[in-house]
Amino acid sequence: MASDARLALITRPGCHLCDDAKAALDRVVAVTGDKWVEWDVTGDEGLEREYGDRLPVVMLDGKEHGYWRVEEDRLLRDLTTPQL
């Protein structure tokens, strides 16, 4: 799952909240210029076990940022605030 994208969205097919989250991430990256990748839990026991009960899950820089709904304002702030 290596990628140069700072954002990852963990999803599964048929998840309406996942579709909403994809649209939200598209809006966020339209502002920041970042990229995002999608990780599907289907067929991945590790992802399913860890995240399957709270999809979609937003990951930022390899850490869980949120789940179920994308907090766009918070995500924008965290993407644009310089890291210490």
Side-chain angles (χ1 to χ4, degrees):
M1 289 185 231
S3 170
D4 62 342
R6 294 184 65 196
L7 290 166
L9 183 64
I10 305 173
T11 67
R12 76 163 40 99
C15 167
H16 72 280
L17 290 178
C18 298
D19 294 336
D20 294 346
K22 291 174 192 179
L25 286 185
D26 284 341
R27 288 189 295 271
V28 168
V29 301
V31 173
T32 66
D34 287 283
K35 296 184 221 175
W36 67 272
V37 295
E38 183 175 358
W39 298 341
D40 182 348
V41 300
T42 306
D44 187 317
E45 282 186 31
L47 283 178
E48 179 67 47
R49 186 173 37 255
E50 182 72 23
Y51 302 107
D53 63 342
R54 58 185 194 275
L55 296 176
V57 177
V58 176
M59 305 291 284
L60 173 59
D61 295 330
K63 297 177 188 150
E64 188 173 317
H65 189 269
Y67 57 93
W68 292 334
R69 302 271 184 209
V70 177
E71 298 175 66
E72 292 181 55
D73 291 338
R74 179 174 158 244
L75 185 55
L76 277 166
R77 182 190 68 229
D78 292 347
L79 281 165
T80 58
T81 300
Q83 305 285 321
L84 297 177

